[in-house]
Amino acid sequence: MKVLIIGGAGYIGSHVVKEMMKAGHKVTVFDNLSSGLRCNLFPENDFIYGNILIQSDIEAAFARGFDAFVHLAAFKAAGESMIEPEKYSVNNITGTINIMNAAVKHGCKKMIFSSSAAVFGAPQYLPIDEDHPKNPENYYGFTKLEIERFMAWYDQLRGMRYAALRYFNAAGYDPEGKVRGLEQNPANLLPRVMEVAAGMKDKMKVFGTDYDTRDGTCIRDYVHVTDLARAHVMALDYITKNDKSLTVNLGTEKGTTVKEIIDAARRITGKAIPSEDVERRPGDPACLYATSKRAKELLGWEPKYSDVDTLVKTTWEVYQ
């Protein structure tokens, strides 16, 4: 299939491009390089420099004729979204509507969307399944949930089949070492640990050590980015074969604590990685992890690279 990957030069996007190519799809990347990197582009792919907020850019891209598209062009910093909601409204919501309208106009009616665990908010039970109540606690999560609702309407009214893939914590790098571009301004734990290990920062902060967990630090569901990328390929196969939309959680079904990540990083890198224990951040739940039972049943998806050592090793290889 001819697949347009919007945001395909970014951290997750470049891994999705690689897996789509492995599956035999012909990939074109559309990106404005605001956070994506030219070094993440593969020479085998066409590249369109464009902006999802410029209707003529996205129209011209879809006019080339595609069978399916992947949307990875949303802003994703939860904290920033609470300070600059306007920025997230325009990019995530208006940008997505631009994409979907252009896709429908040009007959491209298969959509894979990177949604988020942020649609759920604080867990009311664990592990979180797809039917868990949706109460986003940040504006970023709200925008992702609204996009899921738009897709459901476009499915009903325009026959656009979609897969909404709710990621938990994306981490790690391509085990084959072909994607090497460092994520720009990372806000997640593992890149912050690596910045200290690599000498880019002096120390890191651990937000809260008095949670009701096995070592007092928060538990999160870290999923290797290659496992997430594989799910995009499987989801495209599913909606193509079944002519049916799909929403699934992508997690490991078990969490890892902040301390366990840091300890593994110290062991694997051989670096001291100084850390400072500080107060909890408001809105940080103690535990957050998912069941991926539906993804396994419908897609045959299971994480292959999401053990702690592989997450740390593949990230350290890039930061070195």
Side-chain angles (χ1 to χ4, degrees):
M1 275 193 275
K2 288 179 69 181
V3 181
L4 180 66
I5 301 188
I6 301 164
Y11 166 58
I12 296 174
S14 51
H15 288 86
V16 173
V17 168
K18 182 172 179 281
E19 292 302 310
M20 286 284 182
M21 286 163 51
K22 268 172 78 172
H25 298 298
K26 181 167 172 39
V27 173
T28 298
V29 171
F30 180 99
D31 206 299
N32 69 354
L33 301 177
S34 60
S35 58
L37 301 167
R38 285 194 181 273
C39 66
N40 281 342
L41 298 170
F42 292 87
E44 305 95 301
N45 304 135
D46 289 336
F47 172 60
I48 302 169
Y49 179 82
N51 191 323
I52 62 173
L53 299 180
I54 300 172
Q55 191 72 40
S56 56
D57 282 5
I58 200 73
E59 287 262 1
F62 277 104
R64 296 189 182 198
F66 293 96
D67 302 303
F69 69 99
V70 182
H71 175 19
L72 297 130
F75 292 146
K76 64 184 179 64
E80 182 189 55
S81 75
M82 299 296 280
I83 300 161
E84 298 186 63
E86 300 84 359
K87 175 180 174 180
Y88 281 69
S89 297
V90 172
N91 186 78
N92 292 11
I93 293 179
T94 307
T96 299
I97 292 169
N98 288 346
I99 291 167
M100 291 169 67
N101 288 347
V104 167
K105 180 177 176 179
H106 293 282
C108 182
K109 294 191 179 182
K110 296 185 187 77
M111 175 176 182
I112 312 295
F113 175 60
S114 64
S115 192
S116 170
V119 302
F120 297 114
Q124 296 186 18
Y125 57 82
L126 292 166
I128 293 174
D129 59 22
E130 288 79 4
D131 299 321
H132 185 285
K134 282 66 170 185
N135 296 303
E137 294 195 336
N138 54 63
Y139 193 70
Y140 159 69
F142 167 79
T143 66
K144 291 280 184 166
L145 186 57
E146 288 305 291
I147 292 165
E148 288 190 10
R149 290 174 173 151
F150 289 136
M151 291 191 298
W153 277 107
Y154 273 57
D155 178 309
Q156 183 181 327
L157 302 175
R158 289 291 178 260
M160 178 180 279
R161 303 296 178 244
Y162 67 86
L165 306 179
R166 293 177 181 150
Y167 308 167
F168 279 64
N169 293 60
Y173 272 83
D174 174 28
E176 295 175 358
K178 291 184 178 171
V179 179
R180 317 261 329 153
L182 285 179
E183 189 179 3
Q184 303 296 290
N185 304 313
N188 298 332
L189 173 65
L190 192 49
R192 295 237 167 130
V193 173
M194 291 295 126
E195 286 176 344
V196 179
M200 298 158 72
K201 299 264 173 76
D202 293 333
K203 65 179 176 181
M204 60 169 297
K205 291 178 178 176
V206 177
F207 295 97
T209 57
D210 58 348
Y211 287 97
D212 184 17
T213 61
R214 53 187 171 265
D215 60 23
T217 61
C218 284
I219 291 175
R220 293 293 180 268
D221 203 343
Y222 298 96
V223 188
H224 197 285
V225 66
T226 297
D227 288 327
L228 294 177
R230 287 170 47 243
H232 289 71
V233 179
M234 293 172 169
L236 179 55
D237 289 346
Y238 177 90
I239 63 175
T240 301
K241 285 175 187 162
N242 296 284
D243 190 31
K244 199 159 97 177
S245 294
L246 169 81
T247 299
V248 292
N249 293 350
L250 298 175
T252 62
E253 307 200 328
K254 60 183 190 297
T256 306
T257 71
V258 171
K259 188 172 184 303
E260 285 163 355
I261 292 275
I262 296 170
D263 287 347
R266 286 171 176 150
R267 173 169 48 81
I268 287 164
T269 65
K271 306 292 183 181
I273 311 182
S275 66
E276 178 189 3
D277 296 342
V278 296
E279 291 294 307
R280 297 182 182 192
R281 286 182 301 200
D284 262 355
C287 298
L288 202 57
Y289 55 93
T291 171
S292 296
K293 186 180 172 193
R294 187 182 291 179
K296 184 175 181 181
E297 287 172 357
L298 298 180
L299 305 180
W301 180 83
E302 287 186 274
K304 285 168 57 177
Y305 303 102
S306 296
D307 60 282
V308 177
D309 280 17
T310 302
L311 290 169
V312 172
K313 279 177 186 164
T314 57
T315 309
W316 179 234
E317 281 160 12
V318 176
Y319 270 84
Q320 279 180 291

